[in-house]
Amino acid sequence: MEVLAKDLHKTIADDFNKVKIIEEIDRQRGGEAILEIEDLKEDLVINEKRAEKIVKYLEEKEEQETGDQTRIASLVGEIFKLDQRVTQLNEKVQRHENKLTETLNDHERTENELKEIKGALCTGQIAFDFEKDLATYIYPHGKKFGSRTVFTNMTAWLEKKKDTKEGREGNTKWNKLQKEFSWSKEHEKVFLRLLESRRKFAHPQVDRNTVQSQIPDSFTEQEKKCIMDINKMVDRVNELM
């Protein structure tokens, strides 16, 4: 029976270590304070003292009595309950840790998505600026060239106007640039890909029925109303066209 009491005392010590590990895990993961921990630690202290007294009492006695068995049995029951509570607490922390891990993974995915969007917009802007500036440089001064398929329209115009004065001037400028930078079909392919990647994020498909829920909170209520009016006007203009 003395050996059993010592084993129970060791079990309590093990439970203390488990609780410390749980606390450390929760602290490192930035979890909220778990109130059950303090209550559990208090009960562990109480039962630890009980176990120490029983061990000391049994060590000093030459013979063991029936009452000792009752005290040991009571302590066994209490420690069993504490073991269950430690297990439940550990499961709770594990669930919290899993949830936190899932949240961190969501944040990482969002961060990667934002990084992709920023990269596409920044590199795509290079192609966008190049297209507009190139057209301004190649076309005759003052010529309007719109905002879509600028490069494709420009190369088509150069081919169509190659026998005219302005066409020859434009082709001369473009040929010199191509030679200077060793422009190739691969350059053109990458350039068009950059434009497309920018367009994907700069001009997303919009569900006009859900626009209101997507307006940033930085806009005032009055400004949000203006946005919704503009949204309705787009639909109306399309009806009138």
Side-chain angles (χ1 to χ4, degrees), residues 9-218:
H9 187 266
K10 182 178 182 301
T11 299
I12 293 175
D14 291 341
D15 284 343
F16 263 122
N17 289 331
K18 290 177 184 177
V19 171
K20 287 180 181 178
I21 292 172
I22 291 172
E23 281 186 301
E24 181 61 20
I25 290 174
D26 191 55
R27 184 187 66 79
Q28 291 179 355
R29 301 294 285 180
E32 299 178 358
I34 300 177
L35 300 179
E36 295 98 314
I37 288 180
E38 293 305 319
D39 291 338
L40 186 56
K41 285 165 67 176
E42 289 179 7
D43 290 340
L44 284 170
V45 169
I46 292 172
N47 282 283
E48 183 182 38
K49 291 179 179 178
R50 285 182 62 195
E52 287 176 349
K53 288 181 179 180
I54 291 175
V55 170
K56 184 177 181 181
Y57 171 75
L58 292 174
E59 286 176 342
E60 293 175 351
K61 288 188 60 176
E62 294 182 359
E63 295 183 3
Q64 295 169 1
E65 302 172 356
T66 304
D68 297 334
Q69 296 178 0
T70 302
R71 295 174 67 186
I72 293 292
S74 174
L75 184 60
V76 168
E78 289 296 325
I79 292 177
F80 177 73
K81 291 178 183 178
L82 287 174
D83 265 342
Q84 286 185 316
R85 288 172 62 187
V86 170
T87 299
Q88 291 170 355
L89 184 59
N90 190 50
E91 290 173 352
K92 180 176 181 178
V93 171
Q94 187 62 51
R95 287 195 299 271
H96 172 74
E97 186 174 10
N98 291 341
K99 184 177 180 181
L100 188 59
T101 299
E102 184 179 342
T103 300
L104 291 174
N105 289 338
D106 287 341
H107 286 170
E108 185 176 356
R109 281 193 293 270
T110 301
E111 185 176 345
N112 290 337
E113 289 173 0
L114 291 174
K115 185 177 180 180
E116 179 187 1
I117 292 173
K118 182 179 180 181
L121 290 174
C122 289
T123 54
Q125 189 65 34
I126 295 173
F128 183 80
D129 292 341
F130 167 74
E131 184 178 50
K132 295 292 187 295
D133 293 346
L134 179 64
T136 301
Y137 172 65
I138 297 297
Y139 280 129
H141 180 69
K143 178 176 174 56
K144 304 295 183 181
F145 49 79
S147 60
R148 294 187 178 183
T149 60
V150 176
F151 181 82
T152 303
N153 290 340
M154 184 199 75
T155 54
W157 180 86
L158 287 172
E159 177 62 26
K160 181 179 179 180
K161 297 289 186 177
K162 62 184 179 182
D163 294 327
T164 66
K165 180 177 180 296
E166 57 186 16
R168 284 192 294 270
E169 290 177 353
N171 274 289
T172 298
K173 291 178 180 179
W174 179 224
N175 290 334
K176 283 184 178 180
L177 273 175
Q178 291 183 86
K179 184 177 181 180
E180 181 179 352
F181 292 95
S182 301
W183 181 270
S184 64
K185 288 293 183 181
E186 185 65 20
H187 284 86
E188 184 173 338
K189 179 181 176 182
V190 171
F191 159 71
L192 294 174
R193 182 181 173 187
L194 284 174
L195 282 181
E196 183 58 34
S197 65
R198 177 187 180 277
R199 189 177 296 113
K200 175 183 176 182
F201 296 110
H203 305 286
Q205 293 294 322
V206 178
D207 181 355
R208 301 197 184 282
N209 295 321
T210 62
V211 167
Q212 189 167 6
S213 63
Q214 298 176 21
I215 300 174
D217 292 334
S218 57

